[in-house]
Amino acid sequence: MSDIAGELARVREAFDKPTLRLLDRKWAPFVLAVFKSSFSREHRSVSCEALHTQVDAYLADLRSIGLDAPEKTGRALCVQWMNDLWLYREISDAGEEHYSLTSHALEALLLVDGLARDRALISESRLTTIVDTVRHRATEANPDREERVRRLDQQIHELSSERDRLSDGGDIEPASNEQMHEGYANLINLIQQLPSDFKRVEESVAAMHRQIVNDFRGEERPISEVLDDYLAKTDALMSSTAEGRAFEGAFTLLRNDALLQGLKADLETILLHPFALELSRTERRSFMSTVTLIRKGIDDVLTQRKGLTTTLREHIVNHDVVKDRELERVLRDVNRELATWMQTAGPRSTVTAELMPGTLDVEHLHERFYDPVAHRAPPALADVSGAAPAAPSLDALRQQGGPLLQELRDALVAAIGVKYGTGEAASIGSAFNGLDASLRRPVEILGLLQLAAQLSPGTAGLERFETVRPDGSVRFFEVPRLILTDDDTAALAAQNLGSEND
């Protein structure tokens, strides 16, 4: 007896999946064209209103050039595609609804792209990848130690021979454009399968999330049983399914920064080959964003897992078993009293019951009880006067303050008088530099300028003021050269005598 019945059942089961249902519909080319035009690797999700508007625009464009198009609106089509499991609607952190393609829609797009590709994928690059992978897995599967050592020695010999040949100046065979195109097509075919793999893992986690939420809301299973089921499903998801194993491998790759940097550098090296000039800008940008594609897919899966873990934590924290038991006991009492009342009540008997209890009329309700500790005096402060530093003297405080105008005026008049006695020009700077160190602080320059502003002396260039700080360090300042005449000096001296000697 043939196996046609079993094969027919398997084929029908495959055709019942959303991927083949999408390809089997009348408007399948239109749906796939919309998905291809609206979604890309850079735009993995589109806001619901924007996609509704885009679909309406696509319908209008097709009708304007005389092509057949569905009669429904963009909103109705998007809702239908969501019910057919081709679109997934989710709410972002900002509260806005977005559409994204499901794994079934991504698989359909990948299949159509493969059929529309002109270059055959059965090439030297594809066969070499298969042979290398089979050889690597065979080495890992073989438990014979000697056979594994023999394989490793053979690889080491081949690599060493090639390295020695190149070191001795051997020729490097450049890869032809045809070979690079075949390898590029093989890589693109593998890379294009990643989004649907990640999406399947994300959908598996989302389905698990919905199931656990329903279990929590149904209150039919204990929390411990739900948690055990969640942990078991998580282990099975990441180990027993193809998409889970792909995710684990990509996650291991993502944790290895050196490997990721090497992958990015290898991608750049491939695009430096002359064959890349025949690629479009979109193809080059898409090829270089492979690392970003891996990171984005893993982030989406981890976000779903984080949401699932958050749901579990919030339910465990907020779920009060005691309150649930109290409510259950009250409801049982109500049912018991209702059964007693129904034994004597007529068919149309009613009972008045308040939906909410009434409020209490209380003038003042204490929110806290008296606590004697709240009125206890604070502890005495510790006596740390013995560790206090010595109090500064009055002279030390004055040295840290502003200019000493009176002492500075007297010293300046005396210094200028000495200058006139020797026949030298009487400038404020020369007189200042001859004063005592206690009167040559940097702040005293401001005092001198204040005194000079009352006299309006003549200026002639700049002169250097040598100042001494309270700590003994010396600083030099360039100040306008102010020349004092005999009348200026007399006026300066008269300021110290007060108003009685005007």
Side-chain angles (χ1 to χ4, degrees):
M1 184 176 179
S2 65
D3 296 333
I4 187 62
E7 293 296 336
L8 179 60
R10 282 190 288 272
V11 171
R12 284 178 175 175
E13 182 180 357
F15 269 85
D16 288 337
K17 292 184 178 180
T19 301
L20 289 184
R21 280 196 285 107
L22 170 57
L23 298 176
D24 192 41
R25 296 293 178 87
K26 172 184 177 181
W27 300 111
F30 170 76
V31 177
L32 292 174
V34 171
F35 290 167
K36 191 75 174 176
S37 302
S38 302
F39 298 92
S40 64
R41 184 178 298 182
E42 292 77 15
H43 300 87
R44 299 167 61 91
S45 62
V46 180
S47 65
C48 294
E49 294 300 328
L51 185 59
H52 298 163
T53 305
Q54 288 181 8
V55 175
D56 287 332
Y58 295 151
L59 292 172
D61 291 342
L62 293 177
R63 291 164 184 163
S64 64
I65 59 178
L67 296 179
D68 292 338
E71 297 298 332
K72 297 182 179 180
T73 63
R75 180 184 296 274
L77 287 175
C78 290
V79 172
Q80 177 184 341
W81 298 340
M82 185 178 62
N83 295 331
D84 290 333
L85 301 181
W86 304 332
L87 284 180
Y88 177 72
R89 183 171 61 189
E90 57 185 350
I91 300 178
S92 64
D93 296 337
E96 185 179 0
E97 292 185 338
H98 285 78
Y99 284 124
S100 61
L101 295 179
T102 64
S103 61
H104 310 294
L106 292 173
E107 288 177 348
L109 289 173
L110 182 62
L111 180 59
V112 172
D113 288 341
L115 295 175
R117 189 180 294 111
D118 295 333
R119 186 177 300 275
L121 293 178
I122 301 179
S123 61
E124 179 185 358
S125 174
R126 174 59 63 89
L127 295 178
T128 301
T129 302
I130 295 175
V131 171
D132 291 342
T133 303
V134 171
R135 180 183 303 168
H136 179 70
R137 295 305 175 192
T139 302
E140 292 182 343
N142 193 348
D144 188 354
R145 185 185 303 272
E146 295 181 358
E147 176 63 19
R148 182 171 295 192
V149 171
R150 187 192 66 79
R151 286 175 177 263
L152 292 176
D153 289 339
Q154 182 181 358
Q155 294 178 10
I156 293 174
H157 176 71
E158 294 175 356
L159 295 175
S160 299
S161 300
E162 179 65 14
R163 179 180 60 81
D164 295 339
R165 187 185 70 81
L166 295 177
S167 299
D168 295 339
D171 295 335
I172 299 177
E173 292 292 338
S176 64
N177 286 359
E178 186 66 21
Q179 291 175 335
M180 293 300 298
H181 271 297
E182 292 177 354
Y184 170 79
N186 185 25
L187 287 175
I188 287 298
N189 180 258
L190 296 175
I191 293 171
Q192 287 178 345
Q193 297 177 18
L194 288 176
S196 59
D197 292 339
F198 284 128
K199 201 65 178 180
R200 280 195 295 270
V201 180
E202 186 179 347
E203 291 172 354
S204 299
V205 177
M208 188 192 308
H209 189 180
R210 290 191 295 269
Q211 180 62 40
I212 289 179
V213 170
N214 292 334
D215 291 341
F216 281 156
R217 291 175 178 174
E219 298 289 345
E220 297 177 355
R221 303 169 60 192
I223 295 180
S224 58
E225 184 179 341
V226 175
L227 291 179
D228 291 341
D229 191 16
Y230 162 68
L231 296 176
K233 286 182 178 179
T234 301
D235 294 338
L237 176 66
M238 297 308 168
S239 60
S240 63
T241 62
E243 56 267 18
R245 290 192 295 270
F247 172 74
E248 286 295 325
F251 195 53
T252 303
L253 177 66
L254 184 63
R255 286 194 296 247
N256 192 337
D257 293 335
L259 191 59
L260 276 182
Q261 292 298 328
L263 174 60
K264 186 176 181 181
D266 292 340
L267 294 174
E268 294 176 351
T269 302
I270 292 175
L271 290 182
L272 291 177
H273 192 273
F275 95 98
L277 298 176
E278 303 176 14
L279 302 177
S280 64
R281 180 180 301 179
T282 302
E283 291 174 335
R284 292 195 297 269
R285 184 172 62 250
S286 176
F287 187 68
M288 277 304 302
S289 63
T290 301
V291 177
T292 304
L293 173 66
I294 296 174
R295 292 182 185 273
K296 179 63 174 143
I298 291 180
D299 288 341
D300 292 341
V301 176
L302 293 180
T303 300
Q304 285 288 348
R305 290 178 58 177
K306 182 179 179 181
L308 177 56
T309 306
T310 302
T311 300
L312 291 173
R313 184 179 65 251
E314 290 180 352
H315 184 83
I316 294 173
V317 171
N318 299 326
H319 186 72
D320 193 339
V321 180
V322 176
K323 289 184 178 180
D324 290 346
R325 291 176 179 174
E326 292 178 352
L327 178 59
E328 184 179 0
R329 184 168 57 253
V330 171
L331 293 177
R332 282 200 302 266
D333 293 341
V334 171
N335 288 333
R336 185 169 53 253
E337 294 295 333
L338 182 61
T340 303
W341 177 71
M342 288 297 295
Q343 294 176 0
T344 57
R348 298 183 179 277
S349 299
T350 60
V351 62
T352 303
E354 295 183 359
L355 295 179
M356 295 296 294
T359 58
L360 298 178
D361 187 10
V362 181
E363 295 182 359
H364 179 70
L365 184 63
H366 288 282
E367 296 180 356
R368 294 184 300 175
F369 293 101
Y370 173 74
D371 186 3
V373 178
H375 296 277
R376 183 180 301 172
L381 298 177
D383 186 7
V384 295
S385 58
S393 63
L394 179 61
D395 292 338
L397 291 176
R398 294 188 67 190
Q399 287 297 321
Q400 300 297 329
L404 306 175
L405 294 179
Q406 183 173 354
E407 293 84 344
L408 188 62
R409 185 186 295 111
D410 294 339
L412 185 60
V413 170
I416 291 176
V418 174
K419 292 290 183 180
Y420 276 120
T422 59
E424 297 181 9
S427 68
I428 291 181
S430 59
F432 177 83
N433 293 333
L435 298 180
D436 185 75
S438 61
L439 294 177
R440 285 193 289 122
R441 297 178 300 157
V443 73
E444 306 296 353
I445 297 178
L446 301 178
L448 286 178
L449 296 178
Q450 179 180 347
L451 296 175
Q454 302 174 5
L455 303 175
S456 301
T459 60
L462 299 176
E463 61 180 340
R464 174 172 292 190
F465 281 60
E466 181 181 351
T467 63
V468 181
R469 288 179 169 178
D471 60 359
S473 60
V474 178
R475 289 287 306 273
F476 295 93
F477 295 90
E478 297 289 339
V479 183
R481 180 180 178 85
L482 304 177
I483 306 299
L484 298 182
T485 62
D486 292 338
D487 295 337
D488 293 334
T489 306
L492 186 61
Q495 292 179 0
N496 273 349
L497 298 178
S499 59
E500 297 178 355
N501 295 279
D502 289 346

